[in-house]
Amino acid sequence: MVGTSAVGAFAARLRALREARSLTQEELSERSGLSVKAIGALERGERRRPHPHTVRALADALLLGDAERAALVAAVPSRGGPAAAAGAFAGSGLAPIFGRDEDLTRVADLLTVHGARFLTLTGPGGVGKTRLATEVAARVRDAFPGGVRLLDLAAVREPDEVLPQVAAALGVVEEPTGTVHLVERVAGHLAGRRVLLVLDNLEQVVACGPRLADLLGHAPGLTVLATSRAPLRVRAEQVVPVVPLALPGLDDGAADLTALAASPAVAMFLDRASAVGGQVPDGAAGAATLAAITRRLDGLPLAIELAAAAARVLPPDALLARLEAGTTDVGVAGPRDLPVRQRSMTAVLDGSVGLLEPEQRDLFLRAAVFSGGFSLDWLTAVEALVEPPPTVHADDVVPRVAALVDQALVLPAPSPDGVPRFRLLEPVRQYAITEAHAAGLALPAADAHAVHARQVAVDAHRRLWSAGIGPVLDRVEAERGNLRSGLLRLLELGRVPEAADLAGGLWPYFAMRGRVREGLEWLERVEGTGTPMSVARVAVGRMGLMLVVGEVGALRMLGDVAIRLSERAGDALLLVEAVLLSGLGAIFAGDLSAGERLLALAEARAEDVGTQEPREGDARLWARLQVQLGRGQALLLAGDAEVATRQLEEAVVAARALGNEFGLATSLNTLATARQVAGDDATAAALLGESLAVSFPLRLGWTLGYAVPELAGVAGRSGRPTSAAYLFGAAATLGDTTAVDPHYPPSRLGAESGLAVARTQLESDAFTAAWDAGRTATQEEVARFAAGVVADIASPGSADLSLRGRG
């Protein structure tokens, strides 16, 4: 018997269909109106591409049902390119699906309950659109008595070929004369039937959208469920984005594998690794490795499947090391039942990038320079540095970004300040880095990125001394990855002064947000070299962070150098910062005369700030506020609480006028310290309550590090030992996470006195239980608890707060 490969798929299928009905070639000739010779030539494979009317005549003569008709039509090689794979849907029959319960319910409901007729599942290559579509089709098949048809269009390259492929999949044979419009013939064929058509892989033929919409308008019983990396952009279409699988939380690496498997990304990796006989990690260390692997893969299902396939030869630590080294593919072939185009992430992404225009491709490759995402304004700035104006404008970048979003190579990301923000999935970013280097685009983009990173840090420094610092802090927080990579690039290029501008300029952010250890690590990278300006900027930054952690002696040793170099550099704001920090260091060390001398110098030099740069006018007001605060602190240390209170009340007024939240919280904290020294704990509690109300929403770790333990001390002295213990526990956690040391002596003494009272009033077990509750509470829980403590202290005769419902 002649094999199928020899005679062709159509010939073999035609003969099998004829023989299954016990018909001779002569009998089929009589029924179809074709000659016996023609039928013989078709079955021998001598005629590989019969005309559409011939195929229809044969299908009618053989009395084929929809499925057999579609299979016969699909067996005819396409005259316009590779044939699309088509057939009746027989169910998903695939590996388990993870993390898609909500998606499955939503899409199924849209199709069966809400009557959506044109749904497109969109998302990056490898995110699982096809898997989701086939699973949905299996679930809703009973709602479509006319049948479910699946058509893979990955091989089709011309939009005009889509409708003929759809017609063939539905069993409609093309008329030889073309006198009747194909849309009308398909609609007529489907009349009275409810059919679901699953069109897979439409991204390379999105221009077919209007023809599909036209078909839906003519065929009211037809519903289309499409998958495409890009939407088809027709009015009839409803887009359903498919996102990567949920990842384990940042703290979940310490969990056991059972708890960790609640993450769909981890569950999928474990399932696929076990299926190939791979090594599955155990214990806390193994869980941490597994969590890190799935985070590096950014929850992308195909990337997880391919990495899991490598688990049969690579232990988890080795697999993670390869991923962290920036490998797009881990070097092990994917499952053989995947299409060739999906057996590696490189192949998948080559297909996506191949659909881009040259300018879009270049922008995509340059976007790989960003770490942790990027804002539209930052991308525009980098593009302008790579290709200076008038070549690049924001209006020029936006459509290119939109094209990348359409192709799901770039994804929208949450923005802290309303400026549009985007990100590349990590496997996509690693691919883009490799391609950018190959194209010679990586280094120019990295240089431009570093230049802009330095400017972002300098601008943030100025703005953090002004009003409304929340968006500034949040933007710096969001851009930390970019700022760090910019710093490293500047150092790699030997541009130490600019690197010092970047690291030193961010010290207020690191101090305010309680990221002191990170800030010191950045500053250590640029310490001791460069121009007088860069050395001074690093010294001032270190002084600021030393004040946060209580290293007053080291701060004072740096002060003279920082002041001298700042004067030589001629930067008025930098000089004022150096003098102010030196003065505060002297005051905290108890050297009040030196402190006053330095504060007076800072006050005088503050008048120079803003004379050359109008934007620094707020910095001059900030400097004056710091002088007021410093003098109030010195008066309090000198034992004059009454005069200190007046001075600090003026500081609070000045801080409110300035509108700088950190300055206000600091002023309120210091005034509260003065009031508790004077024995007025009720007023101190109210002031601390306002400070906390400012600090918690902005995550101001520095001011929280003072206010929480001081409020705990007030609670202890006010007959609320359980509340005090809870707050002291919360303060301990704050100290661990922020490295803030509330070392101003009157503040520390106030907290310690309240702690001693609380310990005497509570049994050891009760104190420990309350402490532990505060130690493990979230910041939101601590904020609510602290507000309740303040309200209780403000209400005479109120009882101690219960921990129930507060921790």
Side-chain angles (χ1 to χ4, degrees):
M1 182 175 178
V2 180
T4 299
S5 60
V7 300
F10 180 84
R13 184 171 293 278
L14 175 60
R15 180 173 180 175
L17 290 169
R18 177 179 62 76
E19 291 178 346
R21 286 155 178 78
S22 301
L23 295 175
T24 64
Q25 290 185 349
E26 288 76 9
E27 289 171 328
L28 180 58
S29 169
E30 185 178 346
R31 290 187 181 192
S32 65
L34 301 174
S35 68
V36 175
K37 182 179 179 180
I39 293 174
L42 289 170
E43 290 192 356
R44 291 190 298 272
E46 295 171 3
R47 290 182 57 191
R48 298 282 182 123
R49 293 189 176 89
H51 292 295
H53 68 278
T54 299
V55 178
R56 186 179 64 177
L58 289 167
D60 290 343
L62 291 165
L63 303 176
L64 299 185
D66 285 346
E68 289 178 318
R69 183 183 292 266
L72 183 64
V73 171
V76 179
S78 171
R79 288 180 166 80
F89 185 75
S92 60
L94 300 173
I97 188 167
F98 295 91
R100 298 299 188 197
D101 289 347
E102 291 185 7
D103 293 330
L104 287 167
T105 300
R106 179 189 177 196
V107 177
D109 285 351
L110 286 171
L111 293 173
T112 59
V113 178
H114 301 289
R117 296 188 54 224
F118 192 173
L119 282 183
T120 304
L121 307 181
T122 63
V127 81
K129 301 181 294 295
T130 299
R131 182 71 182 88
L132 178 60
T134 55
E135 188 69 24
V136 168
R139 292 193 178 195
V140 304
R141 60 187 306 171
D142 290 344
F144 294 91
V148 177
R149 299 289 183 272
L150 175 63
L151 179 61
D152 183 0
L153 294 162
V156 177
R157 289 293 177 266
E158 296 298 329
D160 289 344
E161 282 293 311
V162 172
L163 197 56
Q165 296 284 0
V166 168
L170 293 172
V172 178
V173 181
E174 186 177 354
E175 291 286 349
T177 61
T179 54
V180 180
H181 196 283
L182 185 56
V183 166
E184 296 174 1
R185 289 203 305 278
V186 173
H189 178 75
L190 294 175
R193 299 163 56 201
R194 191 167 183 213
V195 174
L196 175 63
L197 179 62
V198 181
L199 301 179
D200 197 22
N201 299 300
L202 282 175
E203 54 270 357
Q204 76 285 355
V205 287
V206 291
C208 74
R211 298 293 301 278
L212 291 175
D214 187 25
L215 173 60
L216 288 167
H218 283 78
L222 178 64
T223 295
V224 170
L225 174 60
T227 75
S228 175
R229 294 170 196 174
L232 277 64
R233 297 195 177 281
V234 292
R235 287 175 294 173
E237 176 188 40
Q238 182 169 347
V239 175
V240 179
V242 182
V243 300
L245 299 178
L247 294 166
L250 293 177
D251 297 329
D252 289 347
D256 59 31
L257 287 182
T258 302
L260 200 61
S263 158
V266 173
M268 181 179 181
F269 183 90
L270 288 171
D271 177 84
R272 304 318 303 147
S274 297
V276 300
Q279 301 181 47
V280 176
D282 55 14
T289 299
L290 191 55
I293 287 172
T294 53
R295 281 196 286 267
R296 286 297 298 190
L297 299 171
D298 237 335
L300 198 61
L302 180 60
I304 292 172
E305 175 134 25
L306 296 173
R312 69 181 185 272
V313 293
L314 293 175
D317 288 340
L319 177 57
L320 177 59
R322 288 183 66 83
L323 293 172
E324 289 180 337
T327 302
T328 305
D329 295 306
V330 292
V332 177
R336 289 191 177 95
D337 58 345
L338 286 174
V340 173
R341 59 188 168 81
Q342 287 190 320
R343 292 183 192 171
S344 73
M345 283 306 303
T346 297
V348 170
L349 294 168
D350 281 344
S352 294
V353 174
L355 299 174
L356 300 176
E357 298 295 330
E359 287 187 349
Q360 297 167 356
R361 175 181 176 273
D362 288 352
L363 183 69
F364 165 64
L365 297 184
R366 282 196 285 263
V369 75
F370 293 102
S371 301
F374 56 91
S375 58
L376 185 59
D377 58 346
W378 194 322
L379 178 63
T380 302
V382 169
E383 280 290 282
L385 289 167
V386 173
E387 300 180 21
T391 305
V392 176
H393 302 88
D395 291 343
D396 188 38
V397 171
V398 169
R400 286 189 282 160
V401 172
L404 298 179
V405 172
D406 274 352
Q407 288 296 334
L409 289 165
V410 168
L411 304 181
S415 171
D417 55 4
V419 176
R421 189 170 182 82
F422 306 92
R423 66 184 289 256
L424 278 67
L425 294 173
E426 192 57 27
V428 177
R429 180 171 174 265
Q430 294 302 331
Y431 167 89
I433 288 173
T434 301
E435 294 297 306
H437 278 288
L441 299 174
L443 295 183
D447 293 349
H449 176 270
V451 168
H452 189 64
R454 179 257 176 201
Q455 189 59 50
V456 168
V458 169
D459 290 345
H461 186 102
R462 292 193 184 102
R463 292 190 59 198
L464 286 174
W465 301 146
S466 304
I469 63 172
V472 185
L473 290 169
D474 288 344
R475 170 62 80 91
V476 173
E477 188 96 29
E479 303 292 6
R480 263 172 48 233
N482 285 315
L483 292 164
R484 183 181 183 86
S485 61
L487 173 70
L488 296 178
R489 181 60 180 164
L490 289 171
L491 291 173
E492 184 180 351
L493 295 171
R495 292 157 66 167
V496 177
E498 291 167 88
D501 287 345
L502 194 161
L506 291 176
W507 84 258
Y509 157 77
F510 287 122
M512 292 179 187
R513 278 282 163 91
R515 293 187 172 275
V516 180
R517 298 182 188 93
E518 184 179 358
L520 289 171
E521 188 268 324
W522 287 35
L523 289 166
E524 284 172 3
R525 291 179 175 272
V526 292
E527 187 177 13
T529 58
T531 63
M533 171 73 86
S534 63
V535 175
R537 196 173 294 284
V538 172
V540 168
R542 287 182 60 80
M543 290 167 66
L545 297 180
M546 287 172 177
L547 184 64
V548 179
V549 299
E551 296 180 6
V552 175
L555 183 161
R556 298 191 72 191
M557 290 177 62
L558 272 178
D560 290 341
V561 174
I563 292 171
R564 186 171 64 253
L565 291 175
S566 297
E567 285 182 315
R568 187 187 304 176
D571 188 305
L573 179 57
L574 186 63
L575 175 59
V576 168
E577 287 183 40
V579 176
L580 271 173
L581 289 168
S582 294
L584 292 173
I587 290 170
F588 279 43
D591 189 350
L592 302 185
S593 60
E596 174 52 37
R597 176 178 56 79
L598 288 164
L599 289 179
L601 176 60
E603 185 176 36
R605 292 302 182 93
E607 299 309 308
D608 298 330
V609 177
T611 57
Q612 297 176 342
E613 175 55 73
R615 289 182 300 175
E616 294 181 350
D618 283 350
R620 183 168 64 250
L621 298 177
W622 165 268
R624 291 173 180 168
L625 171 62
Q626 298 309 306
V627 170
Q628 288 178 292
L629 281 170
R631 284 177 172 153
Q633 290 169 328
L635 287 166
L636 201 53
L637 283 170
D640 194 341
E642 183 178 348
V643 178
T645 296
R646 290 199 296 271
Q647 177 76 32
L648 293 168
E649 286 173 343
E650 292 175 6
V652 170
V653 172
R656 293 191 197 281
L658 177 60
N660 182 281
E661 295 91 339
F662 177 77
L664 176 59
T666 304
S667 302
L668 291 165
N669 280 353
T670 313
L671 180 56
T673 302
R675 296 318 304 149
Q676 63 94 9
V677 167
D680 185 0
D681 277 339
T683 300
L687 292 165
L688 291 168
E690 184 181 356
S691 174
L692 292 172
V694 172
S695 300
F696 271 120
L698 297 183
R699 305 191 301 283
L700 298 178
W702 194 356
T703 52
L704 288 170
Y706 274 86
V708 173
E710 192 151 356
L711 180 61
V714 170
R717 290 191 301 273
S718 302
R720 295 163 175 82
T722 304
S723 297
Y726 179 99
L727 291 171
F728 278 122
T733 296
L734 273 172
D736 289 345
T737 55
T738 66
V740 174
D741 180 5
H743 57 97
Y744 177 55
S747 178
R748 182 184 291 275
L749 288 172
E752 289 175 348
S753 68
L755 177 61
V757 172
R759 286 190 179 278
T760 62
Q761 293 180 345
L762 276 183
E763 294 290 337
S764 177
D765 289 348
F767 184 92
T768 300
W771 174 289
D772 289 344
R775 195 84 160 90
T776 57
T778 65
Q779 284 209 8
E780 292 77 10
E781 291 167 343
V782 175
R784 290 194 298 270
F785 190 92
V789 171
V790 170
D792 286 348
I793 293 174
S795 303
S798 61
D800 196 10
L801 288 179
S802 167
L803 295 181
R804 186 176 303 162
R806 294 184 180 273

